[in-house]
Amino acid sequence: MRSKVLKSCLALVIALAASMGTVEFAHAQAAKGPSGLPLPRFVTLKSKRVNLRIGPGTDYAVSWMYLKSGLPVEIIQEYDNWRRIRDADGTEGWVNQSLLSGQRAAIAAPWMKAKGKGVFVNLRREALPSASIVAKLEPGVMVTIGECNGDWCRAETDGASGWVAQSEIWGAYPGEAFK
């Protein structure tokens, strides 16, 4: 009897913990920053030279300098005119909001870079897994994205355009839809 009660209590605790995690995730996706925009959210770097600082202000040291405009980053926090961002490698720091753009871009499966040669992300003619392949993207290739439907994103890179599975890019959240 005691064993059954303990197992029931354990199952209840696990179920509650799982549901709280789901609520926290949904709440995190619905959170808004002081700007009124959702946090977290994806944006791109507007300038060719962007200083990543250790704190929100020009008095803070520069920890990194980005040298490519259009690079996708994720805003994870806001303070005044400063945005704490995270890049595809997980590097975090602060940049002035004037150096960010609402344009969307993504990086093809950066987590697959270390898997070696012969690993590709398929850019397809239509938003279907059976659609013909327009291009094979190496992991780490940057693409601009114009829209996502929750499963697929319309992407363009070096003259090739098509649809890429949303699960194979860094720059759009799973299930996120926008035009």
Side-chain angles (χ1 to χ4, degrees):
M1 175 73 174
R2 183 177 176 154
S3 173
K4 285 184 181 179
V5 170
L6 285 174
K7 285 181 183 177
S8 294
C9 288
L10 182 60
L12 180 61
V13 167
I14 291 171
L16 283 172
S19 68
M20 286 176 69
T22 303
V23 169
E24 285 178 23
F25 176 75
H27 177 69
Q29 292 297 312
K32 292 192 188 273
S35 68
L37 297 171
L39 285 176
R41 68 182 179 276
F42 283 104
V43 295
T44 54
L45 300 181
K46 190 186 294 185
S47 178
K48 286 185 180 180
R49 293 175 59 102
V50 175
N51 289 332
L52 187 70
R53 296 184 178 274
I54 62 171
T58 55
D59 292 340
Y60 289 93
V62 174
S63 61
W64 187 257
M65 182 185 289
Y66 294 102
L67 299 173
K68 179 149 181 75
S69 65
L71 187 74
V73 294
E74 183 180 29
I75 295 177
I76 56 175
Q77 190 178 353
E78 298 178 347
Y79 177 77
D80 197 23
N81 290 331
W82 293 85
R83 303 296 180 257
R84 184 168 188 180
I85 63 166
R86 177 185 305 132
D87 66 20
D89 295 328
T91 302
E92 293 183 11
W94 293 87
V95 299
N96 191 283
Q97 71 176 4
S98 66
L99 300 171
L100 301 173
S101 167
Q103 297 292 319
R104 297 293 293 266
I107 297 176
W111 55 88
M112 293 180 6
K113 280 185 194 177
K115 297 207 177 192
K117 302 276 184 204
V119 177
F120 299 101
V121 172
N122 293 324
L123 187 65
R124 299 189 177 272
R125 188 167 311 283
E126 299 173 48
L128 297 166
S130 60
S132 61
I133 297 171
V134 174
K136 290 183 173 273
L137 308 175
E138 289 183 0
V141 168
M142 197 170 80
V143 298
T144 58
I145 52 179
E147 68 176 288
C148 292
N149 65 19
D151 295 315
W152 294 88
C153 293
R154 185 137 186 67
E156 186 175 324
T157 184
D158 292 333
S161 64
W163 293 85
V164 64
Q166 210 157 322
S167 61
E168 294 183 329
I169 59 171
W170 188 88
Y173 297 108
E176 180 185 13
F178 63 88
K179 287 191 181 220

PDB file of all heavy atoms in Angstrom, residues 89-116:
ATOM      1  N   ASP A  89      26.273  31.029 -32.097  1.00  0.00           N
ATOM      2  CA  ASP A  89      27.281  30.276 -31.339  1.00  0.00           C
ATOM      3  C   ASP A  89      27.039  30.332 -29.834  1.00  0.00           C
ATOM      4  O   ASP A  89      27.767  29.722 -29.063  1.00  0.00           O
ATOM      5  CB  ASP A  89      28.679  30.814 -31.643  1.00  0.00           C
ATOM      6  CG  ASP A  89      29.070  30.576 -33.087  1.00  0.00           C
ATOM      7  OD1 ASP A  89      28.646  29.563 -33.671  1.00  0.00           O
ATOM      8  OD2 ASP A  89      29.796  31.414 -33.647  1.00  0.00           O
ATOM      9  N   GLY A  90      26.048  31.139 -29.410  1.00  0.00           N
ATOM     10  CA  GLY A  90      25.740  31.261 -27.990  1.00  0.00           C
ATOM     11  C   GLY A  90      26.415  32.439 -27.311  1.00  0.00           C
ATOM     12  O   GLY A  90      26.229  32.649 -26.105  1.00  0.00           O
ATOM     13  N   THR A  91      27.196  33.218 -28.044  1.00  0.00           N
ATOM     14  CA  THR A  91      27.860  34.393 -27.481  1.00  0.00           C
ATOM     15  C   THR A  91      26.809  35.448 -27.157  1.00  0.00           C
ATOM     16  O   THR A  91      25.933  35.726 -27.976  1.00  0.00           O
ATOM     17  CB  THR A  91      28.890  34.958 -28.475  1.00  0.00           C
ATOM     18  OG1 THR A  91      29.832  33.927 -28.779  1.00  0.00           O
ATOM     19  CG2 THR A  91      29.605  36.165 -27.905  1.00  0.00           C
ATOM     20  N   GLU A  92      26.894  36.032 -25.959  1.00  0.00           N
ATOM     21  CA  GLU A  92      25.931  37.035 -25.523  1.00  0.00           C
ATOM     22  C   GLU A  92      26.633  38.342 -25.178  1.00  0.00           C
ATOM     23  O   GLU A  92      27.782  38.344 -24.748  1.00  0.00           O
ATOM     24  CB  GLU A  92      25.165  36.558 -24.288  1.00  0.00           C
ATOM     25  CG  GLU A  92      24.270  35.386 -24.549  1.00  0.00           C
ATOM     26  CD  GLU A  92      23.468  34.967 -23.317  1.00  0.00           C
ATOM     27  OE1 GLU A  92      23.446  35.719 -22.310  1.00  0.00           O
ATOM     28  OE2 GLU A  92      22.853  33.887 -23.367  1.00  0.00           O
ATOM     29  N   GLY A  93      25.910  39.437 -25.361  1.00  0.00           N
ATOM     30  CA  GLY A  93      26.409  40.749 -24.999  1.00  0.00           C
ATOM     31  C   GLY A  93      25.393  41.807 -25.373  1.00  0.00           C
ATOM     32  O   GLY A  93      24.281  41.492 -25.811  1.00  0.00           O
ATOM     33  N   TRP A  94      25.778  43.074 -25.208  1.00  0.00           N
ATOM     34  CA  TRP A  94      24.861  44.199 -25.394  1.00  0.00           C
ATOM     35  C   TRP A  94      25.243  45.020 -26.623  1.00  0.00           C
ATOM     36  O   TRP A  94      26.417  45.282 -26.862  1.00  0.00           O
ATOM     37  CB  TRP A  94      24.896  45.095 -24.165  1.00  0.00           C
ATOM     38  CG  TRP A  94      24.325  44.443 -22.944  1.00  0.00           C
ATOM     39  CD1 TRP A  94      25.001  43.644 -22.063  1.00  0.00           C
ATOM     40  CD2 TRP A  94      22.991  44.526 -22.479  1.00  0.00           C
ATOM     41  NE1 TRP A  94      24.153  43.232 -21.068  1.00  0.00           N
ATOM     42  CE2 TRP A  94      22.904  43.768 -21.299  1.00  0.00           C
ATOM     43  CE3 TRP A  94      21.840  45.187 -22.923  1.00  0.00           C
ATOM     44  CZ2 TRP A  94      21.735  43.637 -20.564  1.00  0.00           C
ATOM     45  CZ3 TRP A  94      20.677  45.052 -22.202  1.00  0.00           C
ATOM     46  CH2 TRP A  94      20.625  44.290 -21.040  1.00  0.00           C
ATOM     47  N   VAL A  95      24.227  45.442 -27.392  1.00  0.00           N
ATOM     48  CA  VAL A  95      24.424  46.346 -28.526  1.00  0.00           C
ATOM     49  C   VAL A  95      23.347  47.424 -28.477  1.00  0.00           C
ATOM     50  O   VAL A  95      22.255  47.218 -27.932  1.00  0.00           O
ATOM     51  CB  VAL A  95      24.379  45.629 -29.896  1.00  0.00           C
ATOM     52  CG1 VAL A  95      25.462  44.581 -30.011  1.00  0.00           C
ATOM     53  CG2 VAL A  95      23.034  45.021 -30.164  1.00  0.00           C
ATOM     54  N   ASN A  96      23.647  48.574 -29.068  1.00  0.00           N
ATOM     55  CA  ASN A  96      22.669  49.647 -29.143  1.00  0.00           C
ATOM     56  C   ASN A  96      21.604  49.266 -30.150  1.00  0.00           C
ATOM     57  O   ASN A  96      21.907  48.716 -31.210  1.00  0.00           O
ATOM     58  CB  ASN A  96      23.349  50.958 -29.543  1.00  0.00           C
ATOM     59  CG  ASN A  96      22.419  52.133 -29.382  1.00  0.00           C
ATOM     60  OD1 ASN A  96      21.532  52.353 -30.199  1.00  0.00           O
ATOM     61  ND2 ASN A  96      22.613  52.880 -28.296  1.00  0.00           N
ATOM     62  N   GLN A  97      20.344  49.587 -29.828  1.00  0.00           N
ATOM     63  CA  GLN A  97      19.230  49.204 -30.694  1.00  0.00           C
ATOM     64  C   GLN A  97      19.344  49.778 -32.105  1.00  0.00           C
ATOM     65  O   GLN A  97      18.828  49.207 -33.061  1.00  0.00           O
ATOM     66  CB  GLN A  97      17.900  49.608 -30.078  1.00  0.00           C
ATOM     67  CG  GLN A  97      17.659  51.102 -30.087  1.00  0.00           C
ATOM     68  CD  GLN A  97      16.298  51.480 -29.554  1.00  0.00           C
ATOM     69  OE1 GLN A  97      15.529  50.638 -29.103  1.00  0.00           O
ATOM     70  NE2 GLN A  97      15.987  52.759 -29.606  1.00  0.00           N
ATOM     71  N   SER A  98      20.039  50.919 -32.262  1.00  0.00           N
ATOM     72  CA  SER A  98      20.171  51.541 -33.582  1.00  0.00           C
ATOM     73  C   SER A  98      20.991  50.680 -34.541  1.00  0.00           C
ATOM     74  O   SER A  98      20.968  50.905 -35.748  1.00  0.00           O
ATOM     75  CB  SER A  98      20.802  52.922 -33.457  1.00  0.00           C
ATOM     76  OG  SER A  98      22.138  52.814 -33.008  1.00  0.00           O
ATOM     77  N   LEU A  99      21.708  49.680 -34.026  1.00  0.00           N
ATOM     78  CA  LEU A  99      22.531  48.808 -34.855  1.00  0.00           C
ATOM     79  C   LEU A  99      21.818  47.519 -35.242  1.00  0.00           C
ATOM     80  O   LEU A  99      22.423  46.629 -35.842  1.00  0.00           O
ATOM     81  CB  LEU A  99      23.837  48.482 -34.122  1.00  0.00           C
ATOM     82  CG  LEU A  99      24.697  49.702 -33.784  1.00  0.00           C
ATOM     83  CD1 LEU A  99      25.851  49.308 -32.887  1.00  0.00           C
ATOM     84  CD2 LEU A  99      25.181  50.374 -35.054  1.00  0.00           C
ATOM     85  N   LEU A 100      20.514  47.439 -34.906  1.00  0.00           N
ATOM     86  CA  LEU A 100      19.726  46.240 -35.193  1.00  0.00           C
ATOM     87  C   LEU A 100      18.598  46.560 -36.163  1.00  0.00           C
ATOM     88  O   LEU A 100      18.089  47.668 -36.194  1.00  0.00           O
ATOM     89  CB  LEU A 100      19.146  45.674 -33.889  1.00  0.00           C
ATOM     90  CG  LEU A 100      20.169  45.294 -32.820  1.00  0.00           C
ATOM     91  CD1 LEU A 100      19.475  44.911 -31.528  1.00  0.00           C
ATOM     92  CD2 LEU A 100      21.054  44.160 -33.319  1.00  0.00           C
ATOM     93  N   SER A 101      18.214  45.564 -36.937  1.00  0.00           N
ATOM     94  CA  SER A 101      17.162  45.715 -37.932  1.00  0.00           C
ATOM     95  C   SER A 101      16.097  44.634 -37.728  1.00  0.00           C
ATOM     96  O   SER A 101      16.409  43.521 -37.305  1.00  0.00           O
ATOM     97  CB  SER A 101      17.771  45.566 -39.331  1.00  0.00           C
ATOM     98  OG  SER A 101      16.771  45.400 -40.303  1.00  0.00           O
ATOM     99  N   GLY A 102      14.871  44.964 -38.084  1.00  0.00           N
ATOM    100  CA  GLY A 102      13.776  43.989 -38.012  1.00  0.00           C
ATOM    101  C   GLY A 102      13.779  42.996 -39.161  1.00  0.00           C
ATOM    102  O   GLY A 102      12.978  42.065 -39.187  1.00  0.00           O
ATOM    103  N   GLN A 103      14.688  43.172 -40.131  1.00  0.00           N
ATOM    104  CA  GLN A 103      14.798  42.206 -41.221  1.00  0.00           C
ATOM    105  C   GLN A 103      15.131  40.839 -40.640  1.00  0.00           C
ATOM    106  O   GLN A 103      15.789  40.747 -39.609  1.00  0.00           O
ATOM    107  CB  GLN A 103      15.908  42.624 -42.197  1.00  0.00           C
ATOM    108  CG  GLN A 103      15.658  43.933 -42.891  1.00  0.00           C
ATOM    109  CD  GLN A 103      14.501  43.853 -43.856  1.00  0.00           C
ATOM    110  OE1 GLN A 103      14.344  42.874 -44.567  1.00  0.00           O
ATOM    111  NE2 GLN A 103      13.675  44.886 -43.881  1.00  0.00           N
ATOM    112  N   ARG A 104      14.703  39.789 -41.321  1.00  0.00           N
ATOM    113  CA  ARG A 104      14.949  38.446 -40.808  1.00  0.00           C
ATOM    114  C   ARG A 104      15.944  37.694 -41.686  1.00  0.00           C
ATOM    115  O   ARG A 104      15.940  37.809 -42.905  1.00  0.00           O
ATOM    116  CB  ARG A 104      13.634  37.658 -40.742  1.00  0.00           C
ATOM    117  CG  ARG A 104      12.608  38.237 -39.782  1.00  0.00           C
ATOM    118  CD  ARG A 104      13.022  38.139 -38.320  1.00  0.00           C
ATOM    119  NE  ARG A 104      13.077  36.791 -37.822  1.00  0.00           N
ATOM    120  CZ  ARG A 104      12.074  36.180 -37.194  1.00  0.00           C
ATOM    121  NH1 ARG A 104      10.952  36.809 -36.965  1.00  0.00           N
ATOM    122  NH2 ARG A 104      12.212  34.941 -36.781  1.00  0.00           N
ATOM    123  N   ALA A 105      16.790  36.957 -41.030  1.00  0.00           N
ATOM    124  CA  ALA A 105      17.763  36.088 -41.685  1.00  0.00           C
ATOM    125  C   ALA A 105      17.919  34.855 -40.806  1.00  0.00           C
ATOM    126  O   ALA A 105      17.424  34.820 -39.676  1.00  0.00           O
ATOM    127  CB  ALA A 105      19.104  36.798 -41.861  1.00  0.00           C
ATOM    128  N   ALA A 106      18.593  33.863 -41.320  1.00  0.00           N
ATOM    129  CA  ALA A 106      18.809  32.636 -40.555  1.00  0.00           C
ATOM    130  C   ALA A 106      20.128  32.006 -40.978  1.00  0.00           C
ATOM    131  O   ALA A 106      20.699  32.364 -42.011  1.00  0.00           O
ATOM    132  CB  ALA A 106      17.654  31.660 -40.774  1.00  0.00           C
ATOM    133  N   ILE A 107      20.573  31.083 -40.171  1.00  0.00           N
ATOM    134  CA  ILE A 107      21.782  30.325 -40.470  1.00  0.00           C
ATOM    135  C   ILE A 107      21.384  28.863 -40.585  1.00  0.00           C
ATOM    136  O   ILE A 107      20.693  28.325 -39.713  1.00  0.00           O
ATOM    137  CB  ILE A 107      22.848  30.527 -39.372  1.00  0.00           C
ATOM    138  CG1 ILE A 107      23.261  31.996 -39.335  1.00  0.00           C
ATOM    139  CG2 ILE A 107      24.052  29.614 -39.617  1.00  0.00           C
ATOM    140  CD1 ILE A 107      24.225  32.352 -38.245  1.00  0.00           C
ATOM    141  N   ALA A 108      21.808  28.235 -41.675  1.00  0.00           N
ATOM    142  CA  ALA A 108      21.485  26.831 -41.913  1.00  0.00           C
ATOM    143  C   ALA A 108      22.210  25.952 -40.901  1.00  0.00           C
ATOM    144  O   ALA A 108      23.430  25.928 -40.861  1.00  0.00           O
ATOM    145  CB  ALA A 108      21.855  26.431 -43.338  1.00  0.00           C
ATOM    146  N   ALA A 109      21.448  25.282 -40.077  1.00  0.00           N
ATOM    147  CA  ALA A 109      21.906  24.261 -39.131  1.00  0.00           C
ATOM    148  C   ALA A 109      23.314  24.452 -38.593  1.00  0.00           C
ATOM    149  O   ALA A 109      24.191  23.613 -38.812  1.00  0.00           O
ATOM    150  CB  ALA A 109      21.768  22.883 -39.770  1.00  0.00           C
ATOM    151  N   PRO A 110      23.571  25.540 -37.849  1.00  0.00           N
ATOM    152  CA  PRO A 110      24.932  25.737 -37.336  1.00  0.00           C
ATOM    153  C   PRO A 110      25.398  24.608 -36.414  1.00  0.00           C
ATOM    154  O   PRO A 110      26.595  24.366 -36.294  1.00  0.00           O
ATOM    155  CB  PRO A 110      24.844  27.072 -36.585  1.00  0.00           C
ATOM    156  CG  PRO A 110      23.404  27.297 -36.318  1.00  0.00           C
ATOM    157  CD  PRO A 110      22.655  26.587 -37.406  1.00  0.00           C
ATOM    158  N   TRP A 111      24.465  23.910 -35.808  1.00  0.00           N
ATOM    159  CA  TRP A 111      24.795  22.803 -34.903  1.00  0.00           C
ATOM    160  C   TRP A 111      25.340  21.591 -35.664  1.00  0.00           C
ATOM    161  O   TRP A 111      25.885  20.680 -35.069  1.00  0.00           O
ATOM    162  CB  TRP A 111      23.572  22.394 -34.080  1.00  0.00           C
ATOM    163  CG  TRP A 111      22.383  22.057 -34.924  1.00  0.00           C
ATOM    164  CD1 TRP A 111      22.063  20.836 -35.456  1.00  0.00           C
ATOM    165  CD2 TRP A 111      21.355  22.958 -35.351  1.00  0.00           C
ATOM    166  NE1 TRP A 111      20.908  20.934 -36.196  1.00  0.00           N
ATOM    167  CE2 TRP A 111      20.451  22.220 -36.140  1.00  0.00           C
ATOM    168  CE3 TRP A 111      21.115  24.305 -35.137  1.00  0.00           C
ATOM    169  CZ2 TRP A 111      19.322  22.790 -36.720  1.00  0.00           C
ATOM    170  CZ3 TRP A 111      19.991  24.870 -35.715  1.00  0.00           C
ATOM    171  CH2 TRP A 111      19.105  24.121 -36.482  1.00  0.00           C
ATOM    172  N   MET A 112      25.239  21.587 -37.011  1.00  0.00           N
ATOM    173  CA  MET A 112      25.729  20.456 -37.803  1.00  0.00           C
ATOM    174  C   MET A 112      27.094  20.735 -38.448  1.00  0.00           C
ATOM    175  O   MET A 112      27.615  19.909 -39.180  1.00  0.00           O
ATOM    176  CB  MET A 112      24.702  20.088 -38.891  1.00  0.00           C
ATOM    177  CG  MET A 112      23.434  19.545 -38.280  1.00  0.00           C
ATOM    178  SD  MET A 112      22.063  19.047 -39.354  1.00  0.00           S
ATOM    179  CE  MET A 112      22.571  19.140 -40.995  1.00  0.00           C
ATOM    180  N   LYS A 113      27.709  21.906 -38.147  1.00  0.00           N
ATOM    181  CA  LYS A 113      29.008  22.260 -38.749  1.00  0.00           C
ATOM    182  C   LYS A 113      30.076  21.208 -38.476  1.00  0.00           C
ATOM    183  O   LYS A 113      30.885  20.913 -39.335  1.00  0.00           O
ATOM    184  CB  LYS A 113      29.501  23.604 -38.201  1.00  0.00           C
ATOM    185  CG  LYS A 113      28.880  24.803 -38.816  1.00  0.00           C
ATOM    186  CD  LYS A 113      29.576  26.039 -38.250  1.00  0.00           C
ATOM    187  CE  LYS A 113      28.837  27.298 -38.529  1.00  0.00           C
ATOM    188  NZ  LYS A 113      29.468  28.461 -37.926  1.00  0.00           N
ATOM    189  N   ALA A 114      30.074  20.651 -37.300  1.00  0.00           N
ATOM    190  CA  ALA A 114      31.126  19.713 -36.894  1.00  0.00           C
ATOM    191  C   ALA A 114      30.906  18.297 -37.422  1.00  0.00           C
ATOM    192  O   ALA A 114      31.733  17.426 -37.193  1.00  0.00           O
ATOM    193  CB  ALA A 114      31.227  19.683 -35.373  1.00  0.00           C
ATOM    194  N   LYS A 115      29.825  18.069 -38.138  1.00  0.00           N
ATOM    195  CA  LYS A 115      29.532  16.710 -38.603  1.00  0.00           C
ATOM    196  C   LYS A 115      30.304  16.316 -39.851  1.00  0.00           C
ATOM    197  O   LYS A 115      30.169  15.213 -40.332  1.00  0.00           O
ATOM    198  CB  LYS A 115      28.029  16.546 -38.826  1.00  0.00           C
ATOM    199  CG  LYS A 115      27.265  16.711 -37.539  1.00  0.00           C
ATOM    200  CD  LYS A 115      25.984  15.972 -37.544  1.00  0.00           C
ATOM    201  CE  LYS A 115      25.345  16.156 -36.169  1.00  0.00           C
ATOM    202  NZ  LYS A 115      24.274  15.311 -35.922  1.00  0.00           N
ATOM    203  N   GLY A 116      31.086  17.244 -40.391  1.00  0.00           N
ATOM    204  CA  GLY A 116      31.944  16.907 -41.521  1.00  0.00           C
ATOM    205  C   GLY A 116      31.320  17.178 -42.873  1.00  0.00           C
ATOM    206  O   GLY A 116      30.245  17.761 -42.990  1.00  0.00           O
TER     207      GLY A 116
END
